[in-house]
Amino acid sequence: VYGYTALFKQYEDEHAKATLDYQKRASFEELDRQLHKSNICYFGDYHTLPQAQRSFLRILRRLPPEREVIIALEFFQGRHQKHVDAFMAGKLGAEEFLKITDHESGWGFGDFPSFEPILELAKERNYKVLAIDTRSYGLAGSSLAARDKYAARKITKALKKQPNALVMTLIGELHIAPAHLPHDVHELLKNHDIEGRTLIIYQNCERIFWKLEEKGLEHSVAVVKVRPGEYCMNNTPPIVCQQSFLNWLDVEDAPELEAPEHNFRQYANLIAEFFDLPLGNALDELEITSVIDLSFLQRLARRGDFSDADMVRIREQILDSESYYIPQAKMAYLGNLSANHTSEEATHFLRHVCAKSFEEPQLLLDAFYSRSLEEAIGFMGSKIINHKRKAPPLPYFERLSKSRKISADEKKFARLVLKHVHLEKGVRVRNMDAVYDCGPELFNQVTHVLGYRLGERLYYALVEGILNKSQMRELFFYDFSEEGLALQTYFELMTITRNVIVPTRL
């Protein structure tokens, strides 16, 4: 993209050689033990993938809160350290801070919201945040090797000041190969008689992913040991990582943003091929729009076949950043350009192409389970594209239902979800009417979560051979407006998938 020089190729090859294979499966508890023994951790970042930054945040949260930690971020240039300090001290607001540091042109990826939770945790735990990049120092200073040396000096200086600290370094994946930044830091620490106890954590290395895939382990293994002191976390398939970068390129280089439409069509074709669905020329009749262009709202209003209530609901979904398929208009709206949202709506589109019906059932009970099943099918289809996608875990709702820091509506939402989960497990539940007749907003939220949880089980039932492709294919053709069919289908699928093993998440 920006020039593929011989030096860059050599640099890339050194990382590739370091991540060709792995020794054995590992666990997050093993990472915890390694972090306890280390004073420097190098964590690989894929800048355009928010999941990469979320994974770093999750590892930070696993550290004992009382431990002394320095967070070293490539995200900030070293020359702006005083501004980083001012921001962390609350003397600068986020908008002013980004303007002063000229962040957009200096970093280029424009993803401050992905890093903001890391900074919030740093403020909460009183962690030092260290700026370690030197991207704008001219051509010589912009080389990867030169940036490694600069970052090494910053890290070494910080460890000299805080010898008992753990330096958690989040930097581009290529930088953390042993021959790169870790080598430069080691040499400097040696000169200062400081022991460097190093841990390297790669993320989503392609060759390691395919090694796991060959053994059928890509779904169940989240961490592997590459060699002593080096591990790899697997949370996102390579195609999703790559697509996040391609989407970023389209956002930067093409104001009309062609990527969402291209991705939607690609995912629809892949899912249709996987389940042998009769797609025909349906994609030619489909309009795909996104948050980039909201002019479609005016076109929908002019059509005359959407009521005022329909338009209010559509606007509310847009404000909630929801993606959805509007079958009456043969339109897919993407409130988020991620692979998860795009593939989920592509699945909803395929579902309506196959079922040839988009009428919701008249009875409340049927409408509830019809909506849940639609969400389940959509989520299951999205996992065909990104099998690392996770449904909200049950412990999350258990914590939410007891929290004192949330609104009454949020607590009610969590309790309604748990009430239905208990029903699914065969527990006698009182006042189930409260789950079904809970008002439009909670109705949507509860069916959304229940559908995602069932969709996840359906996917792993397919992986484990409990359900086959033909059985899953039939779901695309069901007419859930038929009285009683949605309720019956939902609980039949819950029974079939009762013993499915869903991998736990970090």
Side-chain angles (χ1 to χ4, degrees):
V1 177
Y2 294 115
Y4 208 71
T5 65
L7 281 176
F8 181 87
K9 182 67 168 63
Q10 179 184 344
Y11 195 89
E12 187 179 50
D13 286 347
E14 287 168 344
H15 176 272
K17 289 174 184 175
T19 56
L20 284 173
D21 206 344
Y22 67 95
Q23 289 183 350
K24 65 174 187 174
R25 297 160 70 166
S27 66
F28 288 105
E29 289 72 24
E30 188 172 339
L31 284 184
D32 292 340
R33 292 192 293 271
Q34 292 296 320
L35 281 165
H36 178 72
K37 297 188 294 185
S38 304
N39 62 354
I40 308 173
C41 174
Y42 302 98
F43 201 98
D45 189 28
Y46 197 99
H47 302 316
T48 57
L49 183 73
Q51 179 64 34
Q53 294 95 51
R54 284 197 292 267
S55 296
F56 180 70
L57 177 62
R58 288 171 183 149
I59 293 296
L60 287 176
R61 285 176 174 154
R62 294 178 71 94
L63 296 173
E66 67 278 5
R67 187 165 187 187
E68 188 178 352
V69 173
I70 299 168
I71 300 178
L73 298 177
E74 183 192 18
F75 190 65
F76 297 123
Q77 295 173 26
R79 64 194 178 100
H80 292 306
Q81 185 64 55
K82 65 179 181 181
H83 300 123
V84 172
D85 293 340
F87 174 70
M88 296 302 297
K91 297 176 182 178
L92 279 178
E95 188 175 342
E96 185 182 6
F97 169 60
L98 294 176
K99 185 177 180 180
I100 290 174
T101 57
D102 192 22
H103 187 72
E104 287 294 325
S105 61
W107 173 252
F109 292 98
D111 46 7
F112 181 71
S114 295
F115 284 81
E116 203 165 11
I118 296 171
L119 302 178
E120 288 172 0
L121 182 68
K123 288 180 180 179
E124 179 185 322
R125 295 190 177 181
N126 199 30
Y127 291 163
K128 167 75 174 178
V129 174
L130 186 67
I132 61 171
D133 195 21
T134 181
R135 186 181 306 271
S136 65
Y137 282 5
L139 292 176
S142 294
S143 75
L144 293 170
R147 287 165 59 196
D148 282 342
K149 294 187 184 303
Y150 179 83
R153 291 195 296 272
K154 296 280 287 184
I155 290 170
T156 302
K157 186 176 179 182
L159 263 181
K160 284 177 65 180
K161 283 187 177 180
Q162 295 179 244
N164 297 320
L166 165 65
V167 181
M168 293 291 295
T169 305
L170 181 62
I171 192 168
E173 180 75 24
L174 296 184
H175 290 282
I176 70 171
H180 299 159
L181 177 61
H183 171 267
D184 290 344
V185 173
H186 177 76
E187 291 301 308
L188 287 178
L189 290 178
K190 193 167 60 175
N191 292 338
H192 292 282
D193 293 323
I194 300 174
E195 182 186 5
R197 303 183 302 279
T198 298
L199 174 65
I200 295 174
I201 304 178
Y202 305 103
Q203 279 202 88
N204 306 313
C205 297
E206 289 183 37
R207 293 160 189 82
I208 290 174
F209 173 87
W210 295 119
K211 292 285 184 181
L212 290 169
E213 193 272 341
E214 286 173 8
K215 300 173 183 177
L217 298 174
E218 76 276 18
H219 301 288
S220 56
V221 177
V223 185
V224 296
K225 183 176 182 178
V226 178
R227 60 183 61 85
E230 297 176 44
Y231 292 78
C232 180
M233 288 174 55
N234 306 290
N235 50 55
T236 308
I239 190 173
V240 178
C241 297
Q242 187 180 71
Q243 190 65 63
S244 74
F245 179 65
L246 296 176
N247 286 353
W248 171 76
L249 288 179
D250 280 326
V251 170
E252 291 295 308
D253 298 336
E256 67 275 15
L257 197 71
E258 297 174 356
E261 182 172 353
H262 170 78
N263 295 344
F264 187 101
R265 295 178 186 279
Q266 181 186 33
Y267 296 155
N269 278 308
L270 284 170
I271 297 165
E273 183 179 354
F274 187 81
F275 288 113
D276 191 24
L277 301 174
L279 184 54
N281 62 353
L283 276 171
D284 297 333
E285 302 171 0
L286 179 70
E287 180 180 359
I288 303 164
T289 187
S290 73
V291 68
I292 302 299
D293 179 14
L294 298 180
S295 63
F296 76 94
L297 280 171
Q298 297 168 346
R299 297 198 301 278
L300 289 182
R302 286 197 297 266
R303 285 168 54 105
D305 52 355
F306 287 91
S307 67
D308 291 343
D310 290 335
M311 294 305 299
V312 168
R313 188 172 66 252
I314 290 170
R315 288 190 179 94
E316 286 175 348
Q317 287 180 292
I318 290 173
L319 290 173
D320 288 340
S321 298
E322 290 289 341
S323 298
Y324 56 97
Y325 173 61
I326 310 173
Q328 301 98 313
K330 294 184 177 179
M331 175 185 289
Y333 169 74
L334 302 175
N336 183 303
L337 305 184
S338 71
N340 289 342
H341 276 244
T342 306
S343 55
E344 184 178 337
E345 295 315 312
T347 308
H348 287 314
F349 159 72
L350 290 169
R351 156 87 181 116
H352 285 286
V353 168
C354 295
K356 297 182 172 62
S357 171
F358 46 80
E359 291 184 11
E360 287 205 351
Q362 296 299 310
L363 298 178
L364 180 62
L365 202 62
D366 287 332
F368 183 91
Y369 288 107
S370 172
R371 184 74 63 83
S372 298
L373 285 165
E374 297 291 356
E375 296 286 1
I377 295 168
F379 189 88
M380 180 272 297
S382 73
K383 278 185 73 70
I384 300 298
I385 301 300
N386 178 17
H387 66 257
K388 290 290 186 179
R389 190 182 189 191
K390 301 291 185 186
L394 202 57
Y396 167 76
F397 295 100
E398 291 169 345
R399 290 194 301 271
L400 209 62
S401 68
K402 300 172 185 175
S403 175
R404 297 180 179 179
K405 300 180 181 179
I406 61 173
S407 68
D409 282 346
E410 288 176 304
K411 190 172 289 189
K412 183 178 180 181
F413 160 57
R415 288 175 176 172
L416 291 177
V417 170
L418 292 173
K419 189 184 282 279
H420 197 282
V421 170
H422 291 151
L423 177 70
E424 294 168 5
K425 293 179 177 179
V427 178
R428 186 176 178 182
V429 179
R430 296 180 179 179
N431 191 24
M432 276 301 297
D433 286 348
V435 177
Y436 306 123
D437 192 11
C438 55
E441 187 171 346
L442 281 173
F443 181 94
N444 289 336
Q445 290 176 341
V446 173
T447 54
H448 188 84
V449 168
L450 294 178
Y452 273 25
R453 288 178 56 78
L454 176 57
E456 187 170 53
R457 293 161 73 104
L458 290 174
Y459 175 81
Y460 287 110
L462 182 64
V463 170
E464 294 174 22
I466 296 171
L467 288 169
N468 59 40
K469 278 190 186 182
S470 297
Q471 291 170 306
M472 207 73 83
R473 181 181 186 274
E474 290 177 11
L475 292 176
F476 285 86
F477 295 88
Y478 280 11
D479 181 0
F480 293 128
S481 62
E482 181 183 328
E483 186 174 339
L485 180 60
L487 170 65
Q488 177 186 340
T489 303
Y490 184 93
F491 282 98
E492 281 182 355
L493 292 173
M494 287 301 305
T495 301
I496 292 170
T497 62
R498 179 167 294 158
N499 297 320
V500 165
I501 298 172
V502 176
T504 56
R505 65 185 294 176
L506 172 60

